[in-house]
Amino acid sequence: MSNVAINHPDGDKIVIQGAREHNLKNVSVEIPRNKLVVISGLSGSGKSSLAFDTLFAEGQRRYMESLSSYARQFLGRMDKPDVDLITGLSPAISIEQKTTHKNPRSTVGTVTEIYDYYRLLYARIGIAHCPQCGREIREQSVDQIIDTILSWNVGTKLTLLAPVIKGKKGEHQKVIDDAKKAGFVRARIDGLMVQLEDTVKLDKQKKHTIEIVVDRIALKPDVRNRLANSVETALQSSNGVLSVLRRVNRTDESYQEVVDYLDSKGTPYDRDADFIEQEVFFSQKNACPDCGISIPELQPRLFSFNNPFGACPECTGLGEKWSGIKILLFLTCRFRSTREALHFIIPTAHGTMPCLLP
């Protein structure tokens, strides 16, 4: 920081010339962009005057001026700070310095609520691409879905599911009753197969996922007509979405391919079993034309690390895997004894996790 004028500012710097806001005395300074910069000094030396009253105030004022005259009339007039020149400045945000609870899920984006707008932006104008080949995800027709399923090994046992409720709170009794009236006898509720003729009571305070079992078939050369009818029924029941449980035997040629895919996704499975049950998702709205991979419809919650539908299953959205020992050490520091820490329940994006000794 100096009082000497800077005549040749670079594009990778924010240049301030002749700042005289409050107790600043004609200060000129260069601040590098895309770096973490700390302004330090004695109390009353002008740190806040430079950072907030000069730099942030000018960035906010320029942003307001870029809005329409109609929008500006509701925001009020902002005065220009007492400074000769500021170059290289982008729209700025300011976060109040205050004592807050230390939360690993709190970021600059969540504190300023910009993250909510990003999630909405990605969900509305985002273009999905296949995670394998990188091609743009497109709509998938019924014939394409059927051809993909028939390309699997002959003899493969399939369970066709129609997802009618996906992660929503409520008892959903009407959905279950409608499924009974439509002639369905089974459903997978929260990952468990149940008989619809039995009494099904759900906790209305918890989120549930209900998938109607449309058909259970084994792939044979003459199964196309039955498969086509079941696929169309499932798609009609769940608004163009279909989930298929595919049983892959250890002796099948595709077994190792499925194992590699599950390992890459971090999906747990029994490595000692004679078969693996892989869940394949299809959608008439979003599917890769080459790989046949389908993805859910883009929603804001898919871009949230605080939501189980968007959080990484490995770290639950925290960006770091916590072992049992690390969790115990962390909690012991916060409680008076290890015994109290062991009874503490840790909330995660996928529910709750008890802290127990290994």
Side-chain angles (χ1 to χ4, degrees), residues 251-272:
T251 56
D252 293 344
E253 296 179 358
S254 57
Y255 180 83
Q256 188 59 45
E257 178 185 349
V258 174
V259 167
D260 295 339
Y261 176 78
L262 295 178
D263 288 340
S264 66
K265 295 295 183 181
T267 304
Y269 62 93
D270 188 358
R271 298 179 180 272
D272 299 326

Side-chain angles (χ1 to χ4, degrees), residues 53 61 107 166 178 290 295 303 313 325 339 342 347 356:
D53 300 325
R61 186 187 69 84
T107 65
K166 191 73 171 178
D178 290 343
D290 297 329
I295 64 170
F303 300 96
I325 297 298
R339 181 177 298 274
L342 290 175
L356 299 174

Side-chain angles (χ1 to χ4, degrees), residues 28 45 57 94 298 312 335:
S28 297
S45 60
S94 173
L298 296 183
C312 168
F335 293 90

